[in-house]
Amino acid sequence: MKDYLDPRNAEGMPNLADSAFAMDFLLSVKNGIRNYGFAIAEVANPELKRVLTKQLMQAIDLHGEIADLMMKRKWLHPYNFKEQYPVDLKGAETAVQIGQMTLFHNDTDRGGMFATPNE
């Protein structure tokens, strides 16, 4: 990917971006589930424990919904490493390519485009 402005380099990018957003959401929900578990174990108030347990169950349901969506869209293959590996490899390669792009010119001189304060 030499030219990030070339439309050819955007082919497949919406699907790749959607899968990355979904994976980030899935991991965030998973982190929340873990935190609810810790919180439930530490809370002494029975009412608060019930509220946290209800939220934990909702988070587990949400995790299942996100994972199901990702499996349906072929973004996640939790039971088949041979299918998941190419998906992960493509995401890693794309991240490296984006990281190697020159997104900003080497010369950052604004050339008088903005007013400068009196010196």
Side-chain angles (χ1 to χ4, degrees):
M1 226 184 293
K2 299 270 188 226
D3 182 4
Y4 66 93
L5 295 176
D6 188 342
R8 288 179 297 188
N9 292 325
E11 186 176 316
M13 200 55 75
N15 188 51
L16 202 58
D18 287 347
S19 69
F21 299 146
M23 181 59 78
D24 185 55
F25 190 25
L26 184 74
L27 294 174
S28 295
V29 171
K30 189 179 292 192
N31 188 37
I33 290 169
R34 186 196 67 201
N35 290 340
Y36 278 126
F38 285 134
I40 290 167
E42 296 296 324
V43 163
N45 183 311
E47 179 64 26
L48 185 53
K49 193 174 284 241
R50 276 192 294 278
V51 169
L52 290 172
T53 301
K54 181 180 177 186
Q55 290 177 343
L56 170 64
M57 298 313 293
Q58 290 172 340
I60 290 170
D61 290 342
L62 179 59
H63 183 275
E65 289 177 32
I66 298 166
D68 288 344
L69 171 72
M70 291 179 72
M71 287 185 280
K72 180 179 154 193
R73 298 271 175 98
K74 310 244 187 274
W75 297 335
L76 181 67
H77 307 278
Y79 306 112
N80 190 335
F81 175 77
K82 288 183 180 184
E83 288 182 13
Q84 186 63 39
Y85 181 76
V87 173
D88 292 343
L89 188 61
K90 174 70 174 161
E93 288 171 348
T94 302
V96 169
Q97 288 175 343
I98 290 171
Q100 292 173 340
M101 285 184 192
T102 303
L103 299 177
F104 303 100
H105 298 287
N106 291 333
D107 180 13
T108 58
D109 182 16
R110 294 187 178 117
M113 291 175 54
F114 298 100
T116 54
N118 294 335
E119 295 180 11

